Amino acid sequence: MGCVQTPSSMPSDAPPALDNYLSATRPDAADVSDTKRQLLEEAGRTVGFRGGKAQRAWELRQVLEKRFGRLELLYDFRTLISPQGWLPPVIDEAVDVAHITPGQIHLANRVYEIIAPERFVSNPPSWRSWLFAGLAAAPTLGPESSVMPENAVQKRLWQAAIRQGWEEGRVSADHTLEANFNRLIRDYRGMLLYSYVLRQGLITLPVVTDQQQSVTGDRQKLTTGDRVRTLKENAGFIPDKTQWRPVIRKVQP
């Protein structure tokens, strides 16, 4: 005979009856597992962030393109390129600087610093290179795009996360453009400042070498009239003030 369980050994909770299966409904929000909830919220927020930032980036790019003429006039890099084809280094200037430690105060009228070296360019750079950085008008797709809600309750969680991420993405695009404008202004002014300190004798010109080779190559590739221009030495400050030259500024009447 088979083994029959006594009442004391029977499970305390009986399995669901037929009516339980027939009356089954979608789970409410409390029945969504913590893992699923976190996955939906994180993925939805990321997808929304990228979509919102792309939309706002597109709007900002449209506004900037409408101001094309003014931006081209304000940030004309063509006049800054040297005859040898290099773009000036970016110089940063700080005025009335104070460095304070517990035992010392160090004061300075001006501090100059090279924050980006000169570089060769094939074409004059455009303000777009600065202002459009990080403002792609098309959202990128990542693995989180494959996460989708499976029922109405999950869809509500997903949509709430999308909306939150969307607004955060639009704000991020505004902050990105603001930072881009700050870098553009800093770099353009820094290149103009290089010309000024160069006239004062505070900094050197970069050393550029030219090498002309009539023929270079091998059996697979041949180049004639090959010319190599190299930045042998970058511009650098001249700490010997006896070599500096005063620059007279004309005062407009």
Side-chain angles (χ1 to χ4, degrees):
M1 294 180 64
C3 179
V4 178
Q5 290 181 315
T6 62
S8 61
S9 63
M10 291 288 287
S12 58
D13 295 326
L18 174 61
D19 289 342
N20 293 83
Y21 293 100
L22 295 177
S23 61
T25 58
R26 295 182 183 275
D28 59 21
D31 292 325
V32 179
S33 69
D34 291 341
T35 301
K36 185 66 174 181
R37 181 189 297 272
Q38 182 179 4
L39 182 63
L40 286 169
E41 290 178 345
E42 290 182 355
R45 190 172 174 181
T46 300
V47 171
F49 179 89
R50 290 176 175 172
K53 186 170 185 177
Q55 183 200 55
R56 183 57 177 160
W58 182 85
E59 295 171 358
L60 294 173
R61 290 167 73 109
Q62 298 300 307
V63 173
L64 292 172
E65 289 292 356
K66 290 180 181 178
R67 300 177 181 176
F68 171 84
R70 180 169 177 78
L71 290 170
E72 287 285 302
L73 183 64
L74 287 174
Y75 305 105
D76 186 2
F77 289 90
R78 295 172 300 177
T79 60
L80 302 180
I81 299 176
S82 75
Q84 296 172 311
W86 48 266
L87 199 64
V90 177
I91 308 297
D92 187 35
E93 179 186 25
V95 180
D96 296 332
V97 179
H99 179 68
I100 302 174
T101 63
Q104 188 179 61
I105 297 179
H106 192 97
L107 303 175
N109 294 332
R110 278 182 169 79
V111 177
Y112 297 105
E113 182 181 3
I114 300 174
I115 59 177
E118 64 275 24
R119 56 189 174 93
F120 284 125
V121 292
S122 56
N123 294 299
S126 166
W127 51 266
R128 292 186 181 89
S129 301
W130 279 263
L131 298 188
F132 286 1
L135 290 177
T140 56
L141 298 178
E144 60 281 339
S145 301
S146 62
V147 179
M148 288 294 162
E150 300 172 354
N151 55 46
V153 173
Q154 293 183 11
K155 187 175 182 179
R156 287 196 294 271
L157 293 172
W158 171 259
Q159 290 175 339
I162 288 281
R163 292 189 181 96
Q164 180 183 358
W166 192 273
E167 292 305 316
E168 292 173 349
R170 290 180 61 84
V171 172
S172 176
D174 288 333
H175 290 168
T176 298
L177 180 59
E178 181 181 2
N180 289 348
F181 254 118
N182 290 337
R183 282 193 295 270
L184 173 60
I185 294 171
R186 180 202 67 183
D187 289 358
Y188 191 77
R189 287 180 175 175
M191 294 179 193
L192 291 175
L193 182 58
Y194 169 77
S195 299
Y196 176 70
V197 297
L198 180 65
R199 293 197 303 272
Q200 287 184 301
L202 274 65
I203 198 169
T204 64
L205 281 166
V207 177
V208 178
T209 60
D210 271 308
Q211 184 178 4
Q212 187 78 33
Q213 297 176 316
S214 58
V215 179
T216 59
D218 52 32
R219 293 177 62 86
Q220 298 297 321
K221 183 178 180 180
L222 184 67
T223 302
T224 63
D226 188 17
R227 183 180 181 184
V228 180
R229 182 172 291 169
T230 306
L231 268 170
K232 185 177 180 182
E233 185 177 323
N234 294 108
F237 289 112
I238 302 173
D240 183 2
K241 65 180 181 180
T242 61
Q243 300 184 38
W244 297 353
R245 298 182 297 273
V247 176
I248 300 175
R249 295 184 178 181
K250 295 182 179 180
V251 178
Q252 297 294 333

